[in-house]
Amino acid sequence: TNEIAGSLGVSSYPNPAIDMVTFNISDNPYNNLKVTIYNTLGQQVKQLNINGNESVKWNFTNEAGNILAPAIYTCKFTAGEKSVKILRVIKN
């Protein structure tokens, strides 16, 4: 897991992935957590809301449901306006 100041625990598996990645959330003190996913050009491709400590799956689709190309995606976890975690996921 990638911990920032003992706050939110997030791990992603598998990474690299082929068709789906799971974000495992632990120690979530936020009630308005979301993950915004960006492509290599910095364009937002997807946003997922997270409730409590749960596992959230992403099937490498954008908001329109189109399957995204193999690439490195940046996943920014935010609570309100506060960025609490950033990790990268590789799609093969």
XYZ file of all heavy atoms in Angstrom:
710
model
N 0.838 -1.198 0.000
C 0.000 0.000 0.000
C 0.873 1.248 0.000
O 2.013 1.216 0.401
C -0.931 0.039 1.225
O -0.135 0.061 2.385
C -1.886 -1.133 1.234
N 0.300 2.336 -0.435
C 0.982 3.626 -0.424
C 0.303 4.503 0.616
O -0.791 4.967 0.400
C 0.889 4.301 -1.796
C 1.544 3.484 -2.876
O 2.606 2.922 -2.657
N 0.926 3.396 -4.033
N 0.952 4.724 1.746
C 0.356 5.501 2.825
C 0.864 6.938 2.796
O 2.043 7.172 2.570
C 0.734 4.880 4.177
C 0.275 3.450 4.361
C -1.198 3.355 4.689
O -1.693 4.196 5.429
O -1.829 2.434 4.171
N -0.023 7.894 3.014
C 0.370 9.296 3.158
C -0.021 9.735 4.560
O -1.195 9.764 4.893
C -0.315 10.187 2.100
C 0.200 9.851 0.714
C -0.087 11.654 2.411
C -0.387 10.693 -0.380
N 0.970 10.028 5.371
C 0.774 10.565 6.725
C -0.206 9.722 7.543
O -0.987 10.232 8.316
C 0.292 12.010 6.656
N -0.177 8.407 7.331
C -1.026 7.509 8.108
C -2.501 7.686 7.854
O -3.311 7.271 8.654
N -2.881 8.330 6.753
C -4.297 8.578 6.506
C -4.937 7.418 5.764
O -5.216 6.383 6.344
C -4.471 9.893 5.750
O -3.742 9.866 4.535
N -5.141 7.541 4.495
C -5.874 6.573 3.696
C -4.968 5.451 3.221
O -3.872 5.696 2.730
C -6.477 7.304 2.486
C -7.287 6.462 1.520
C -8.578 6.000 2.177
C -7.590 7.272 0.282
N -5.427 4.225 3.346
C -4.695 3.074 2.816
C -5.323 2.639 1.504
O -6.519 2.376 1.444
N -4.524 2.583 0.444
C -5.017 2.158 -0.865
C -4.001 1.213 -1.486
O -2.808 1.501 -1.486
C -5.214 3.356 -1.832
C -5.687 2.868 -3.199
C -6.184 4.359 -1.277
N -4.466 0.109 -2.000
C -3.621 -0.754 -2.812
C -4.373 -1.064 -4.100
O -5.602 -0.998 -4.145
C -3.265 -2.039 -2.057
O -4.423 -2.785 -1.761
N -3.630 -1.362 -5.141
C -4.259 -1.723 -6.420
C -3.684 -3.052 -6.872
O -2.492 -3.313 -6.742
C -4.012 -0.639 -7.467
O -2.632 -0.481 -7.703
N -4.556 -3.917 -7.371
C -4.123 -5.214 -7.871
C -5.081 -5.701 -8.935
O -6.262 -5.339 -8.889
C -4.004 -6.223 -6.723
C -5.321 -6.477 -5.992
C -6.196 -7.471 -6.403
C -5.695 -5.691 -4.917
C -7.405 -7.680 -5.754
C -6.895 -5.894 -4.255
C -7.731 -6.908 -4.685
O -8.928 -7.102 -4.043
N -4.666 -6.471 -9.910
C -3.247 -6.601 -10.219
C -2.735 -5.300 -10.835
O -3.513 -4.514 -11.344
C -3.204 -7.733 -11.246
C -4.552 -7.676 -11.912
C -5.506 -7.194 -10.864
N -1.471 -5.094 -10.789
C -0.866 -3.896 -11.381
C 0.558 -4.254 -11.792
O 1.401 -4.402 -10.923
C -0.862 -2.742 -10.387
C -0.512 -1.420 -11.020
O -0.429 -1.316 -12.234
N -0.293 -0.406 -10.199
N 0.800 -4.438 -13.091
C -0.051 -4.136 -14.241
C -1.247 -5.089 -14.362
O -1.228 -6.180 -13.836
C 0.876 -4.275 -15.439
C 2.094 -4.962 -14.970
C 2.126 -4.890 -13.482
N -2.255 -4.605 -15.097
C -3.490 -5.360 -15.296
C -3.833 -5.416 -16.782
O -3.326 -4.627 -17.568
C -4.626 -4.700 -14.524
N -4.722 -6.338 -17.122
C -5.129 -6.481 -18.520
C -6.522 -5.900 -18.750
O -6.723 -5.073 -19.622
C -5.072 -7.956 -18.957
C -3.630 -8.440 -18.914
C -5.672 -8.139 -20.346
C -3.459 -9.917 -19.151
N -7.511 -6.348 -17.956
C -8.885 -5.909 -18.224
C -9.611 -5.329 -17.014
O -10.683 -4.766 -17.160
C -9.703 -7.051 -18.815
C -9.752 -8.275 -17.913
O -9.105 -8.266 -16.845
O -10.434 -9.242 -18.278
N -9.038 -5.454 -15.800
C -9.683 -4.894 -14.622
C -8.662 -4.726 -13.512
O -7.763 -5.545 -13.362
C -10.824 -5.787 -14.133
C -11.574 -5.180 -12.966
S -13.123 -6.022 -12.575
C -14.047 -5.760 -14.073
N -8.821 -3.661 -12.737
C -7.987 -3.429 -11.556
C -8.925 -3.187 -10.372
O -10.016 -2.642 -10.531
C -7.012 -2.241 -11.774
C -7.764 -0.933 -11.934
C -5.993 -2.150 -10.662
N -8.483 -3.630 -9.206
C -9.247 -3.443 -7.978
C -8.476 -2.516 -7.057
O -7.288 -2.722 -6.814
C -9.494 -4.791 -7.270
O -10.204 -5.654 -8.160
C -10.290 -4.598 -5.992
N -9.161 -1.486 -6.569
C -8.597 -0.598 -5.556
C -9.131 -1.074 -4.216
O -10.342 -1.078 -4.000
C -9.009 0.856 -5.797
C -8.555 1.407 -7.108
C -9.473 1.641 -8.115
C -7.218 1.686 -7.345
C -9.065 2.158 -9.334
C -6.798 2.202 -8.559
C -7.730 2.431 -9.562
N -8.250 -1.493 -3.339
C -8.645 -1.938 -2.012
C -8.433 -0.774 -1.049
O -7.316 -0.307 -0.877
C -7.826 -3.163 -1.596
C -8.340 -3.770 -0.315
O -9.510 -3.673 0.004
N -7.460 -4.402 0.423
N -9.500 -0.302 -0.426
C -9.472 0.870 0.443
C -9.505 0.412 1.897
O -10.332 -0.413 2.278
C -10.695 1.786 0.176
C -10.887 2.044 -1.318
C -10.595 3.067 0.977
C -9.746 2.734 -2.001
N -8.596 0.961 2.710
C -8.614 0.664 4.144
C -8.310 1.947 4.916
O -7.756 2.890 4.371
C -7.598 -0.425 4.484
O -6.294 0.000 4.168
N -8.675 1.954 6.169
C -8.437 3.108 7.048
C -8.962 4.399 6.423
O -8.292 5.420 6.421
C -6.947 3.257 7.375
C -6.382 2.016 8.038
O -7.111 1.422 8.854
O -5.241 1.647 7.731
N -10.174 4.344 5.883
C -10.766 5.498 5.205
C -11.493 6.397 6.199
O -12.584 6.075 6.643
C -11.733 5.023 4.121
C -12.370 6.174 3.375
O -12.017 7.331 3.573
N -13.318 5.865 2.519
N -10.900 7.547 6.562
C -11.564 8.458 7.491
C -12.492 9.450 6.791
O -13.095 10.300 7.446
C -10.382 9.198 8.128
C -9.374 9.266 7.034
C -9.538 7.981 6.251
N -12.628 9.356 5.463
C -13.384 10.346 4.691
C -14.748 9.792 4.289
O -14.869 8.636 3.927
C -12.603 10.747 3.438
C -11.179 11.134 3.726
C -10.133 10.270 3.446
C -10.880 12.366 4.307
C -8.819 10.622 3.728
C -9.578 12.722 4.598
C -8.549 11.846 4.302
O -7.257 12.187 4.583
N -15.766 10.644 4.299
C -17.091 10.200 3.876
C -17.431 10.662 2.464
O -18.502 10.368 1.970
C -18.175 10.650 4.867
C -18.222 12.154 5.012
O -17.528 12.881 4.306
N -19.041 12.627 5.933
N -16.524 11.376 1.815
C -16.792 11.875 0.469
C -15.604 11.566 -0.449
O -15.191 12.394 -1.238
C -17.077 13.369 0.494
C -15.924 14.169 1.108
O -15.043 13.626 1.763
N -15.938 15.466 0.903
N -15.069 10.350 -0.344
C -13.887 9.971 -1.108
C -14.266 9.615 -2.543
O -15.290 8.968 -2.789
C -13.214 8.769 -0.440
C -11.879 8.323 -1.012
C -10.814 9.398 -0.796
C -11.455 7.010 -0.363
N -13.436 10.063 -3.478
C -13.615 9.672 -4.870
C -12.241 9.490 -5.499
O -11.235 9.996 -4.995
C -14.415 10.714 -5.650
C -13.755 12.061 -5.775
C -14.653 13.057 -6.483
C -13.992 14.439 -6.462
N -14.854 15.456 -7.030
N -12.199 8.710 -6.568
C -10.968 8.548 -7.333
C -11.240 9.061 -8.742
O -12.227 8.692 -9.372
C -10.444 7.093 -7.335
C -11.460 6.103 -7.876
C -9.141 6.998 -8.113
N -10.391 9.965 -9.185
C -10.469 10.510 -10.533
C -9.286 9.951 -11.304
O -8.150 10.010 -10.836
C -10.426 12.046 -10.517
O -11.446 12.522 -9.624
C -10.671 12.617 -11.905
N -9.575 9.392 -12.477
C -8.554 8.701 -13.252
C -8.240 9.510 -14.500
O -9.148 9.956 -15.204
C -9.029 7.282 -13.603
C -9.363 6.535 -12.296
C -7.983 6.543 -14.424
C -10.159 5.286 -12.471
N -6.932 9.686 -14.738
C -6.443 10.498 -15.848
C -5.578 9.657 -16.778
O -4.846 8.775 -16.321
C -5.593 11.667 -15.327
C -6.334 12.576 -14.385
C -6.331 12.340 -13.015
C -7.045 13.672 -14.849
C -7.013 13.165 -12.140
C -7.726 14.513 -13.986
C -7.712 14.249 -12.629
O -8.391 15.066 -11.766
N -5.629 9.980 -18.082
C -4.753 9.317 -19.041
C -3.386 9.994 -19.052
O -3.137 10.926 -18.289
C -5.390 9.261 -20.436
C -5.623 10.629 -21.043
O -5.036 11.637 -20.629
N -6.491 10.683 -22.032
N -2.503 9.547 -19.941
C -1.141 10.084 -19.973
C -1.089 11.525 -20.450
O -0.080 12.207 -20.255
C -0.226 9.224 -20.869
O -0.836 9.081 -22.149
C -0.006 7.855 -20.261
N -2.163 12.022 -21.060
C -2.233 13.426 -21.484
C -2.798 14.321 -20.389
O -2.940 15.526 -20.576
C -3.088 13.557 -22.747
C -2.608 12.790 -23.973
C -3.609 12.924 -25.124
C -1.228 13.261 -24.390
N -3.146 13.725 -19.253
C -3.713 14.492 -18.152
C -5.202 14.739 -18.277
O -5.772 15.518 -17.517
N -5.846 14.054 -19.221
C -7.290 14.216 -19.416
C -8.038 13.255 -18.495
O -7.683 12.079 -18.388
C -7.662 13.916 -20.868
C -6.991 14.824 -21.863
C -7.055 14.274 -23.275
O -6.979 13.077 -23.502
N -7.185 15.177 -24.235
N -9.087 13.760 -17.848
C -9.900 12.906 -16.988
C -10.667 11.911 -17.847
O -11.310 12.294 -18.828
C -10.885 13.752 -16.181
C -11.760 12.922 -15.262
C -12.704 13.759 -14.431
O -12.378 14.876 -14.043
N -13.873 13.222 -14.151
N -10.582 10.625 -17.482
C -11.296 9.602 -18.241
C -12.400 8.936 -17.431
O -13.358 8.408 -17.999
C -10.341 8.527 -18.812
C -9.399 9.145 -19.837
C -9.556 7.831 -17.729
N -12.289 8.955 -16.092
C -13.286 8.270 -15.268
C -13.246 8.819 -13.856
O -12.200 9.269 -13.381
C -12.969 6.770 -15.241
C -13.982 5.893 -14.561
C -15.160 5.610 -15.453
C -16.042 4.509 -14.861
N -17.107 4.132 -15.770
N -14.392 8.771 -13.177
C -14.455 9.133 -11.765
C -15.320 8.103 -11.052
O -16.397 7.745 -11.534
C -15.036 10.524 -11.582
C -14.932 11.020 -10.158
C -15.285 12.488 -10.073
O -16.455 12.845 -10.053
N -14.274 13.328 -10.031
N -14.817 7.613 -9.915
C -15.539 6.619 -9.124
C -15.716 7.151 -7.710
O -14.789 7.717 -7.131
C -14.739 5.311 -9.063
C -14.350 4.668 -10.390
C -13.337 3.557 -10.163
C -15.574 4.136 -11.099
N -16.897 6.964 -7.146
C -17.157 7.337 -5.755
C -16.889 6.129 -4.870
O -17.178 4.996 -5.255
C -18.595 7.813 -5.577
C -18.843 9.116 -6.293
O -18.022 10.026 -6.238
N -19.963 9.220 -6.977
N -16.343 6.379 -3.681
C -15.979 5.305 -2.767
C -16.676 5.544 -1.438
O -16.592 6.637 -0.874
C -14.453 5.252 -2.573
C -13.777 5.019 -3.928
C -14.076 4.178 -1.571
C -12.286 5.213 -3.912
N -17.353 4.522 -0.938
C -18.054 4.612 0.337
C -17.350 3.740 1.366
O -17.312 2.530 1.226
C -19.504 4.147 0.182
C -20.261 5.010 -0.795
O -20.219 6.223 -0.696
N -20.933 4.400 -1.749
N -16.785 4.361 2.386
C -16.165 3.612 3.471
C -14.955 2.812 3.033
O -14.251 3.172 2.105
N -14.735 1.697 3.715
C -13.634 0.794 3.390
C -14.197 -0.301 2.493
O -14.928 -1.174 2.940
C -13.048 0.171 4.655
C -12.405 1.201 5.553
O -11.750 2.118 5.078
N -12.589 1.053 6.851
N -13.877 -0.225 1.231
C -14.413 -1.199 0.297
C -13.418 -1.433 -0.823
O -12.445 -0.707 -0.973
C -15.744 -0.726 -0.283
C -15.640 0.525 -1.134
C -16.976 0.970 -1.714
O -18.003 0.372 -1.391
O -16.976 1.912 -2.492
N -13.688 -2.436 -1.609
C -12.925 -2.680 -2.821
C -13.718 -2.143 -3.990
O -14.915 -2.405 -4.105
C -12.672 -4.177 -3.006
O -11.829 -4.656 -1.990
N -13.050 -1.352 -4.824
C -13.697 -0.755 -5.982
C -12.999 -1.277 -7.233
O -11.776 -1.206 -7.334
C -13.605 0.786 -5.925
C -14.208 1.416 -7.162
C -14.280 1.304 -4.675
N -13.780 -1.792 -8.164
C -13.215 -2.328 -9.395
C -13.363 -1.313 -10.526
O -14.372 -0.621 -10.611
C -13.908 -3.630 -9.782
C -13.687 -4.740 -8.776
C -14.337 -6.026 -9.221
C -14.216 -7.108 -8.188
N -12.889 -7.514 -7.853
N -12.343 -1.240 -11.370
C -12.390 -0.394 -12.569
C -12.002 -1.263 -13.749
O -10.952 -1.892 -13.760
C -11.462 0.812 -12.431
C -11.407 1.678 -13.648
C -12.473 2.134 -14.383
C -10.253 2.195 -14.299
N -12.039 2.910 -15.429
C -10.676 2.950 -15.401
C -8.891 2.085 -14.043
C -9.785 3.597 -16.250
C -8.003 2.728 -14.883
C -8.457 3.479 -15.972
N -12.859 -1.287 -14.766
C -12.660 -2.150 -15.926
C -12.013 -1.432 -17.108
O -12.186 -1.854 -18.254
C -13.987 -2.783 -16.343
C -15.028 -1.742 -16.702
O -14.784 -0.547 -16.604
N -16.201 -2.204 -17.104
N -11.260 -0.393 -16.833
C -10.539 0.367 -17.858
C -11.469 0.911 -18.941
O -11.154 0.897 -20.119
C -9.413 -0.465 -18.480
C -8.294 -0.749 -17.525
C -8.172 -1.985 -16.918
C -7.372 0.239 -17.201
C -7.145 -2.240 -16.023
C -6.345 -0.007 -16.308
C -6.236 -1.258 -15.720
N -12.638 1.402 -18.504
C -13.537 2.096 -19.424
C -13.605 3.565 -19.008
O -13.369 3.907 -17.855
C -14.967 1.509 -19.405
O -15.479 1.576 -18.074
C -14.977 0.077 -19.909
N -13.958 4.409 -19.983
C -14.148 5.829 -19.676
C -15.604 6.062 -19.289
O -16.390 5.107 -19.182
C -13.692 6.711 -20.846
C -14.490 6.467 -22.118
O -15.542 5.823 -22.114
N -13.982 6.971 -23.226
N -15.976 7.317 -19.088
C -17.349 7.642 -18.669
C -18.390 7.222 -19.702
O -19.530 6.939 -19.363
C -17.479 9.140 -18.363
C -16.666 9.617 -17.182
C -17.117 9.074 -15.831
O -18.120 8.353 -15.735
O -16.429 9.381 -14.840
N -17.993 7.148 -20.977
C -18.916 6.741 -22.043
C -19.011 5.218 -22.179
O -19.787 4.719 -22.984
C -18.486 7.354 -23.369
N -18.200 4.478 -21.405
C -18.227 3.025 -21.465
C -17.273 2.420 -22.483
O -17.271 1.211 -22.692
N -16.455 3.261 -23.131
C -15.499 2.765 -24.108
C -14.269 2.197 -23.404
O -13.778 2.775 -22.433
C -15.059 3.891 -25.055
C -16.232 4.474 -25.807
O -17.075 3.756 -26.320
N -16.302 5.792 -25.853
N -13.742 1.085 -23.918
C -12.544 0.474 -23.352
C -11.333 1.323 -23.714
O -11.154 1.707 -24.871
C -12.382 -0.970 -23.858
C -13.560 -1.824 -23.364
C -11.065 -1.566 -23.379
C -13.605 -3.211 -23.942
N -10.497 1.609 -22.721
C -9.331 2.462 -22.916
C -8.127 1.648 -23.386
O -8.024 0.452 -23.130
C -8.999 3.188 -21.623
C -10.106 4.127 -21.128
C -9.796 4.630 -19.736
C -10.292 5.285 -22.081
N -7.215 2.323 -24.046
C -6.016 1.707 -24.609
C -5.015 1.356 -23.505
O -5.037 1.959 -22.427
C -5.364 2.668 -25.604
N -4.120 0.401 -23.770
C -3.032 0.132 -22.830
C -2.217 1.400 -22.593
O -1.857 2.096 -23.544
C -2.200 -0.933 -23.546
C -3.181 -1.621 -24.450
C -4.105 -0.520 -24.911
N -1.962 1.710 -21.331
C -1.245 2.938 -20.968
C -1.021 2.938 -19.463
O -1.436 2.023 -18.754
C -2.039 4.173 -21.381
N -0.397 4.003 -18.980
C -0.263 4.242 -17.548
C -1.309 5.278 -17.165
O -1.358 6.363 -17.753
C 1.148 4.741 -17.194
C 2.192 3.687 -17.566
C 1.236 5.098 -15.705
C 3.616 4.160 -17.427
N -2.158 4.954 -16.215
C -3.225 5.847 -15.767
C -2.916 6.345 -14.354
O -2.501 5.565 -13.499
C -4.581 5.141 -15.809
C -4.993 4.830 -17.227
C -4.666 3.617 -17.819
C -5.660 5.778 -17.989
C -5.008 3.352 -19.135
C -6.004 5.515 -19.310
C -5.674 4.307 -19.870
O -6.002 4.052 -21.175
N -3.119 7.630 -14.134
C -2.907 8.234 -12.822
C -4.243 8.292 -12.103
O -5.230 8.798 -12.648
C -2.316 9.645 -12.971
O -1.062 9.544 -13.656
C -2.099 10.292 -11.612
N -4.261 7.779 -10.882
C -5.481 7.707 -10.085
C -5.313 8.629 -8.879
O -4.465 8.391 -8.019
C -5.710 6.276 -9.632
S -5.727 5.100 -11.003
N -6.113 9.686 -8.849
C -6.014 10.681 -7.785
C -7.213 10.521 -6.851
O -8.363 10.691 -7.264
C -5.992 12.085 -8.379
C -5.838 13.180 -7.371
C -5.760 14.542 -8.056
C -5.599 15.658 -7.070
N -5.606 16.967 -7.735
N -6.931 10.196 -5.608
C -7.960 10.025 -4.591
C -8.131 11.349 -3.861
O -7.153 11.922 -3.375
C -7.568 8.917 -3.617
C -7.549 7.558 -4.251
C -6.473 7.146 -5.010
C -8.620 6.701 -4.105
C -6.451 5.895 -5.611
C -8.619 5.449 -4.701
C -7.524 5.049 -5.455
N -9.358 11.835 -3.813
C -9.639 13.117 -3.174
C -10.815 13.000 -2.210
O -11.712 12.184 -2.400
C -9.946 14.222 -4.201
O -11.039 13.801 -5.015
C -8.754 14.528 -5.083
N -10.774 13.848 -1.196
C -11.883 13.998 -0.253
C -12.223 15.477 -0.259
O -11.443 16.295 0.213
C -11.477 13.528 1.128
N -13.344 15.824 -0.861
C -13.666 17.233 -1.054
C -12.649 17.830 -2.004
O -12.440 17.322 -3.100
N -11.958 18.881 -1.584
C -10.926 19.511 -2.413
C -9.525 19.025 -2.053
O -8.543 19.457 -2.645
C -10.992 21.034 -2.263
C -12.306 21.642 -2.714
C -12.594 21.387 -4.185
O -11.685 21.551 -5.017
O -13.734 20.989 -4.493
N -9.425 18.140 -1.075
C -8.126 17.696 -0.574
C -7.672 16.419 -1.282
O -8.369 15.409 -1.276
C -8.215 17.432 0.927
C -6.931 16.954 1.553
C -7.114 16.697 3.035
C -5.829 16.169 3.636
N -6.005 15.786 5.026
N -6.481 16.465 -1.899
C -5.879 15.284 -2.500
C -5.256 14.445 -1.393
O -4.435 14.944 -0.626
C -4.818 15.695 -3.518
O -4.177 14.551 -4.035
N -5.678 13.184 -1.280
C -5.193 12.358 -0.183
C -4.296 11.208 -0.640
O -3.600 10.609 0.172
C -6.356 11.805 0.677
C -7.051 12.942 1.395
C -7.331 11.015 -0.148
N -4.278 10.888 -1.922
C -3.449 9.790 -2.401
C -3.393 9.833 -3.918
O -4.385 10.163 -4.566
C -4.032 8.470 -1.942
C -3.341 7.259 -2.440
C -2.402 6.578 -1.481
C -2.857 6.437 -0.084
N -1.785 6.350 0.868
N -2.224 9.498 -4.470
C -2.078 9.365 -5.917
C -1.339 8.065 -6.187
O -0.331 7.783 -5.528
C -1.299 10.545 -6.526
C -2.092 11.839 -6.364
C -0.987 10.291 -8.009
C -1.390 13.082 -6.835
N -1.861 7.262 -7.093
C -1.111 6.098 -7.538
C -1.322 5.883 -9.023
O -2.210 6.467 -9.617
C -1.425 4.838 -6.726
C -2.809 4.425 -6.368
C -3.382 3.413 -7.339
C -2.683 3.710 -5.033
N -0.453 5.086 -9.595
C -0.506 4.837 -11.032
C -0.824 3.381 -11.291
O -0.351 2.492 -10.571
C 0.804 5.245 -11.679
C 0.938 6.751 -11.677
C 2.193 7.256 -12.319
N 2.194 8.721 -12.351
C 2.426 9.494 -11.302
N 2.656 8.973 -10.130
N 2.414 10.810 -11.417
N -1.636 3.167 -12.319
C -2.039 1.828 -12.713
C -1.615 1.633 -14.168
O -1.821 2.510 -14.996
C -3.568 1.650 -12.580
C -4.004 0.318 -13.112
C -3.998 1.815 -11.135
N -1.034 0.480 -14.442
C -0.601 0.166 -15.798
C -1.583 -0.819 -16.414
O -1.876 -1.865 -15.827
C 0.811 -0.444 -15.791
C 1.803 0.522 -15.148
C 1.233 -0.852 -17.203
C 3.145 -0.080 -14.847
N -2.089 -0.467 -17.596
C -2.932 -1.391 -18.358
C -2.085 -1.961 -19.486
O -1.543 -1.227 -20.297
C -4.160 -0.704 -18.937
C -5.008 -1.694 -19.729
C -6.167 -1.086 -20.446
C -6.910 -2.200 -21.161
N -7.768 -1.725 -22.210
N -1.960 -3.284 -19.511
C -1.235 -3.950 -20.590
C -2.142 -4.217 -21.765
O -3.308 -4.349 -21.658
C -0.658 -5.294 -20.109
C 0.559 -5.085 -19.241
O 1.221 -4.061 -19.306
N 0.833 -6.056 -18.404
